[in-house]
Amino acid sequence: MQHFNPQNRHQIRDAKPGTWATVLLGDMDTFSELSRNGFYLIEMSGDVWTMRRVGGHAIARAIG
């Protein structure tokens, strides 16, 4: 699982489909960037939120 923050936010676009990620609760800029790049929220309990990037098959089913 990869943790994203302002220092490595530029790596979000290169994350592979199915990648698991964490982001701190108060880091809304990074959270927004993850969301814009296909990550969806899995768990939001505590100070660290867990997200996952949509995989290739899920995208094809959503479009088709």
Side-chain angles (χ1 to χ4, degrees), residues 14-63:
D14 296 331
K16 295 180 182 181
T19 297
W20 290 81
T22 59
V23 61
L24 292 176
L25 165 69
D27 187 359
M28 296 315 293
D29 290 335
T30 302
F31 177 80
S32 294
E33 188 67 21
L34 285 163
S35 296
R36 281 191 296 271
N37 283 279
F39 283 82
Y40 60 95
L41 192 59
I42 299 291
E43 182 182 3
M44 55 187 279
S45 61
D47 292 338
V48 178
W49 290 0
T50 304
M51 301 180 78
R52 185 165 189 231
R53 191 167 201 182
V54 175
H57 297 293
I59 293 172
R61 288 188 192 126
I63 295 171

Side-chain angles (χ1 to χ4, degrees), residues 6-20:
Q7 288 75 34
N8 69 353
R9 194 181 302 148
H10 64 280
Q11 297 174 356
I12 292 172
R13 292 182 189 159
D14 296 331
K16 295 180 182 181
T19 297
W20 290 81

